[in-house]
Structures are given as structure tokens and as C-alpha cells.
């Protein structure tokens, strides 16, 4: 074989390089995906990467053999790519790859496809497939049809704090788990419903103790508040009104519960009824609550300020 390679290289260097690439990947047959990605990077002299959303797989290797499994962004449009079933393989090569690098990519893709064919991807839950923005719309619509869901059928995405997402038909009971609920949309828009459901989840509360509030939040009920989930992170420094609410919660869980009830009830009497306490008890608590907060919650602006502060407080609480 070495003698043959030498003769071919003497006659046509590029043909000799191509044969060497083929022989290299033949030797890696059956060794696994990591050696294949490392081999592609080593032969190319440039980083190589492999992603497969169906298998939650992401590999990137440097020419020196170092490898990472961190999620990879989509490849630059100028880089050469090759598909291998549901996987995508690319070389991070600036400019035209040339025939030898094209051969490296092609033979690596063939070897990857052979490996994946022998290791079929586990079946994903339907909700995970239909809400995955990385999948093409045609693929998601086809999966929905196989499940008996037409393209115009509307579903809402429920994103619980723990566990997998679910698809709900309009009017279906979401249950009692702490969760965000996206709007009911056609199949093509389910990834957007999932994004809104995850934003709404940030506004949910434990529902008791120092974290009173709704355990289920519907994205469509938040309106202009929903984008706050993209701008406020748990590690951010809280604004003064949130600091005041935290002080209130540390002072008394009954007072923070009263604040939450006042924010959603039509009156102090209605808040007392919701909490199951006497009106006079709620009235006394209100006076103490306002002293600790530093503003009146009996006016329309003061009540609005309390509502917004409670929402922002939930966005600052750790997940």
C-alpha cells in the first residue's frame, strides 16, 4: 500500500493526497465520532465540528487534537460543510477549501454517517420535536402529521419549572405544576410559543411563604411585561422597589402575602377575603406594609408600582 501511494503521489500529488485521506479514514472505521472529528481537524489543519440536534450531539476539535463538547453556533456560511443524516459536519476554513480539504470533509462525513447508521438516534417526545427551532418547518410539520395534528391545529406550549415541555389543546387543563404557558398557535409557530412560555415561567412564584404569587403564568396575560424576562437576570442588582419587597418578605411572610393580594385584588376587603383574614387585620397590615415599602399602595399609581415591583422581584429570584 505504501509503495502504491508513493507511485500515485509521484504521478499526481493531489491524487496521492486524496488516496491518503481515504486510507486514513478507513483506518478510523468503527472507532467512534470523536476520533473522526479529531482526524478531520488534524488532516485539514483547521478546526472541525460536528453537530446533531437529534442526538443532542456537539463536538469540535482543534488540529492539535483538543476536543470540546460545548454547543456550537451555526457554521459561517463561507466554511465548507457536509451533511451526514441528521448531523452536520464542517471545517472552519476561511476561503475556498480546495480539493484535498473537500476530500477530507467528504470522507469524514461518510464515516460519520456509517457510525450514526449503526447508532440510531433515540426517539424524542413529539413536543420536543415540534418546538425545536433548529428543525426545519417542513420536518416539524411532517412530525405533526404523523401524530395526527394538522398544520392549522392550534396548540399551546406548557414549560414547567421541572420536566419536559408539553403541548396543550385550547382549553386543556394545564395542571398544578409551576409553569409558563405560551399562546395557542399553529404548528409552524410552536417554537415561538415555547419561547414565550419560558419567558412566562420567569414570572411564576412558589405560591407560598416568602414567594407568594401565581404558579401558572400565561404569556398572553403579561402583554408588555413579557419582554422584561429578556432584560432582567437573577444576578442583576435589584432596583430599590424590589429591595423594599425583599425587606418586607424578611420581616413577615404575612406582609409579602398581603402585598401580593393587594396587587391583584380590587380592594383591601377583597384582598382580606383572598387571604382568609378579617378586614381589620388586613387594614392594620396595610399600614405597616406601606411604612416598610415607603409608598402608598392605595392610589392607582401606587398599586401599579407594587404590581410592577412584584413582577420584577420574581425575575430577580434564583431559578
Amino acid at each position: 500500500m505504501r509503495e502504491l501511494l508513493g507511485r500515485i503521489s509521484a504521478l499526481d500529488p493531489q491524487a496521492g493526497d486524496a488516496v491518503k485521506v481515504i486510507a486514513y479514514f478507513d483506518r478510523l472505521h468503527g472507532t467512534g465520532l470523536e476520533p473522526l472529528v479529531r482526524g478531520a481537524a488534524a488532516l485539514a489543519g483547521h478546526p472541525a465540528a460536528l453537530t446533531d440536534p437529534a442526538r443532542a450531539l456537539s463536538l469540535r476539535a482543534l488540529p492539535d487534537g483538543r476536543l470540546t463538547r460545548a454547543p456550537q453556533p451555526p457554521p459561517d456560511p463561507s466554511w465548507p460543510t457536509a451533511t451526514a443524516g441528521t448531523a452536520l459536519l464542517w471545517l472552519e476554513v476561511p476561503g475556498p477549501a480546495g480539493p484535498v480539504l473537500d476530500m477530507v470533509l467528504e470522507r469524514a462525513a461518510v464515516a460519520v454517517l456509517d457510525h450514526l447508521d449503526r447508532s440510531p438516534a433515540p426517539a424524542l417526545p413529539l413536543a420536543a420535536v415540534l418546538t425545536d427551532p433548529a428543525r426545519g418547518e417542513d420536518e416539524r410539520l411532517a412530525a405533526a402529521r404523523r401524530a395526527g395534528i394538522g398544520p392549522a391545529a392550534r396548540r399551546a406550549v406548557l414549560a414547567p419549572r421541572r420536566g419536559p415541555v408539553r403541548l396543550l389543546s385550547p382549553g386543556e387543563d394545564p395542571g398544578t405544576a409551576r409553569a409558563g404557558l405560551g399562546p395557542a398557535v399553529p404548528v409552524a409557530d410552536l417554537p415561538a410559543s415555547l419561547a414565550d412560555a419560558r419567558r412566562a415561567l420567569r414570572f411564576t412564584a412558589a405560591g407560598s411563604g416568602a414567594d407568594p404569587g401565581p404558579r401558572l403564568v400565561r404569556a398572553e396575560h403579561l402583554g408588555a411585561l413579557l419582554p422584561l424576562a429578556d432584560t432582567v437576570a437573577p444576578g442583576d442588582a435589584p432596583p430599590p422597589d424590589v429591595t423594599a419587597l425583599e425587606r418586607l418578605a424578611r420581616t413577615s411572610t404575612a406582609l409579602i402575602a398581603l402585598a401580593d393580594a393587594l396587587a391583584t385584588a380590587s380592594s383591601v376587603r377583597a384582598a382580606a377575603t383572598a387571604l382568609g383574614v378579617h378586614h381589620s387585620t388586613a387594614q392594620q397590615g396595610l399600614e405597616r406594609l406601606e411604612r416598610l415599602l415607603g409608598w402608598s399602595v392605595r392610589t392607582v399609581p401606587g398599586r401599579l408600582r407594587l404590581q410592577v415591583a412584584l413582577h420584577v422581584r420574581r425575575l430577580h429570584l434564583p431559578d
Side-chain angles (χ1 to χ4, degrees):
M1 184 65 179
R2 289 197 187 114
E3 183 180 351
L4 176 61
L5 283 174
R7 291 177 182 174
I8 293 174
S9 297
L11 293 172
D12 186 339
Q14 285 192 350
D17 289 340
V19 173
K20 290 176 184 177
V21 169
I22 294 170
Y24 183 89
F25 283 106
D26 283 347
R27 288 195 298 272
L28 291 178
H29 180 80
T31 59
L33 294 177
E34 290 186 10
L36 292 175
V37 178
R38 282 194 173 104
L43 285 177
H46 296 277
L50 173 71
T51 60
D52 186 355
R55 295 171 171 79
L57 175 68
S58 181
L59 299 171
R60 181 177 183 268
L62 300 179
D64 62 8
R66 285 178 292 169
L67 184 136
T68 178
R69 292 181 174 274
Q72 298 299 310
D76 187 284
S78 66
W79 295 343
T81 62
T83 56
T86 57
L88 181 67
L89 180 70
W90 67 84
L91 299 175
E92 298 177 13
V93 179
V100 174
L101 293 187
D102 284 342
M103 176 62 73
V104 170
L105 191 60
E106 177 188 337
R107 298 309 300 182
V110 168
V112 166
L113 181 59
D114 178 71
H115 178 89
L116 296 180
D117 283 345
R118 290 183 283 106
S119 307
L124 291 176
L126 178 65
V129 175
L130 298 189
T131 59
D132 185 357
R135 295 176 182 270
E137 184 176 323
D138 290 344
E139 182 182 357
R140 287 186 279 111
L141 289 173
R145 282 194 300 271
R146 289 193 296 270
I149 303 174
R154 302 178 77 82
R155 296 290 187 272
V157 180
L158 184 76
R161 194 161 184 260
R162 299 285 183 266
V165 301
R166 292 168 50 202
L167 299 182
L168 302 184
S169 300
E172 185 176 346
D173 183 6
T176 59
R178 184 174 176 181
L181 183 63
V185 295
V187 170
D189 297 326
L190 283 173
S193 181
L194 173 61
D196 282 349
R198 285 176 170 161
R199 292 185 183 101
L201 176 62
R202 298 274 315 281
F203 290 90
T204 64
S208 62
D211 188 20
R215 290 177 57 80
L216 175 73
V217 173
R218 299 174 184 268
E220 55 196 335
H221 290 176
L222 288 168
L225 290 172
L226 193 61
L228 281 177
D230 298 326
T231 60
V232 179
D236 292 346
D241 285 359
V242 172
T243 301
L245 284 174
E246 289 298 338
R247 183 168 60 246
L248 194 72
R250 288 193 300 270
T251 301
S252 167
T253 56
L255 284 179
I256 192 68
L258 177 60
D260 182 74
L262 288 167
T264 55
S266 58
S267 65
V268 177
R269 190 174 296 278
T273 300
L275 292 173
V277 300
H278 194 272
H279 174 259
S280 61
T281 302
Q283 189 67 43
Q284 291 171 1
L286 172 60
E287 295 170 2
R288 187 181 179 203
L289 181 151
E290 289 179 329
R291 286 198 303 272
L292 288 169
L293 287 181
W295 78 85
S296 172
V297 299
R298 306 178 210 213
T299 64
V300 172
R303 187 163 175 257
L304 176 61
R305 182 177 176 181
L306 176 62
Q307 291 168 341
V308 173
L310 285 166
H311 282 304
V312 175
R313 177 181 183 249
R314 289 172 192 137
L315 295 176
H316 278 87
L317 291 175
D319 294 336

